[in-house]
Amino acid sequence: MKEQMRELEESHLRPDVRTSFEKLDELLADDFMEFGSTGSPIRKEDCLTGDLDVDDFSLLNFEARLLAPDIVLTTYIIRNRTKDRNTLRSSLWKHMEGRWQLYFHQGTVTPLDPSDSAIHFKP
């Protein structure tokens, strides 16, 4: 399960997904909401009609925690090499309509280094 969730998280960082209405529409739940790294709320419609950043991302310190048979919490750090910043990330994934869909996401900019033990999430 952890590897499957990591693949899903990494998929929505890829330029081919971030620029595809069809791929985002399938990945995001209809009632998806995000609190972006700028603090602004973002809905599915915003993602489908807006221009998402297509930066050079790497995903670090990934963890997945099964909260219920159909709900998974993921936590990790994104290293954005384009913007030279780190963000703490969390997502809630729900299994709906026969597939995992991203239901909620939050990104918080942090000055901490990914190797800092204070930001290692453990289930």
Side-chain angles (χ1 to χ4, degrees), residues 12-83:
H12 73 84
L13 299 175
R14 292 192 333 248
D16 65 305
V17 174
R18 295 180 75 78
T19 58
S20 169
F21 175 91
E22 294 80 15
K23 290 177 182 178
L24 282 174
D25 187 42
E26 183 175 325
L27 189 67
L28 303 177
D30 288 340
D31 48 357
F32 168 79
M33 188 177 82
E34 173 179 349
F35 294 134
S37 59
T38 63
S40 300
I42 301 165
R43 303 275 182 194
K44 180 175 183 173
E45 306 80 48
D46 302 322
C47 295
L48 296 178
T49 59
D51 291 326
L52 298 179
D53 291 339
V54 182
D55 293 341
D56 183 10
F57 297 111
S58 60
L59 190 147
L60 307 162
N61 301 356
F62 183 82
E63 293 296 335
R65 193 174 300 178
L66 187 65
L67 301 179
D70 60 345
I71 299 175
V72 172
L73 168 68
T74 61
T75 54
Y76 54 98
I77 298 167
I78 289 291
R79 175 71 187 133
N80 184 326
R81 289 182 287 277
T82 304
K83 292 187 171 96

Side-chain angles (χ1 to χ4, degrees), residues 37 76-80 85-89 107-110:
S37 59
Y76 54 98
I77 298 167
I78 289 291
R79 175 71 187 133
N80 184 326
R85 71 178 188 189
N86 297 325
T87 53
L88 301 173
R89 301 291 178 125
T108 304
V109 176
T110 182

Side-chain angles (χ1 to χ4, degrees), residues 102-117:
L102 186 55
Y103 182 76
F104 175 80
H105 184 75
Q106 181 165 356
T108 304
V109 176
T110 182
L112 296 174
D113 184 274
S115 64
D116 188 323
S117 63

